[in-house]
Amino acid sequence: AQSVTQLGSHVSVSEGALVLLRCNYSSSVPPYLFWYVQYPNQGLQLLLKYTTGATLVKGINGFEAEFKKSETSFHLTKPSAHMSDAAEYFCAVIPSGGNKLVFGAGTILRVKS
Amino acid sequence: DVKVTQSSRYLVKRTGEKVFLECVQDMDHENMFWYRQDPGLGLRLIYFSYDVKMKEKGDIPEGYSVSREKKERFSLILESASTNQTSMYLCASRVAGASTNEQFFGPGTRLTVL
């Protein structure tokens, strides 16, 4: 079965520093790829997704992610962290031929002032 | 502004009680989903519904059932609540068509079973 691995359950960065949240998937056939964000006491919100085409995907709030087939990865980055980016981030996939999201365990991002 | 609402933010129930969690969406979406969220496990799909009166088991359906009598409402039922069902429950909806269409999530219901 398809699985999604997020390296690091907690990541801490200083305000203004680079944000890098890692995501790897297990399938040899590339799935559709998503990043969702959950702010405290809220539901999940879509940040960005990759389906086909350009492998560098830009999302909301300055985030972007790059699909790398050779590394089976879809890491999320932001050049400069803001305090408002503190949240939990989930990588998710829809396996090839499937129609349901499979989520990773989540990474809690802390931004230090 | 799209909206998915859940009937309660916090709920405390006793073991053995029948529990209803309600979800309503105002976007006329055909697809609706129930997930549970646990630390370190992410979100896991309990049930989903493609349309009214249609339902399909997700990855962890044991101990749960669902009802979809109207397009806008999707209910999750715990027939006899147990302590291992203490969790955060999230509802989502999605327009039919491509599986890659965005899912819109409600704010969640934190259920505690004592």
Side-chain angles (χ1 to χ4, degrees), chain A residues 32 34 36 38 41-46 49-51 88 90 94 98-106, chain B residues 9-10 33 35 37 40-43 45 48 50 56-58 90 94 99-103 105-107:
Chain A
Y32 299 125
F34 304 77
Y36 279 83
Q38 185 179 34
N41 298 313
Q42 294 186 30
L44 276 69
Q45 179 182 1
L46 181 66
K49 66 181 179 182
Y50 171 78
T51 54
E88 188 162 16
F90 293 93
I94 295 179
N99 61 0
K100 292 169 280 184
L101 285 167
V102 176
F103 285 88
Chain B
R9 293 302 304 272
Y10 300 93
F33 305 82
Y35 296 91
Q37 180 182 4
L41 296 177
L43 279 72
L45 182 65
F48 65 102
Y50 283 115
E56 195 165 320
K57 292 180 180 179
L90 291 168
R94 179 183 73 186
S99 61
T100 53
N101 290 339
E102 180 177 353
Q103 288 190 25
F105 285 81

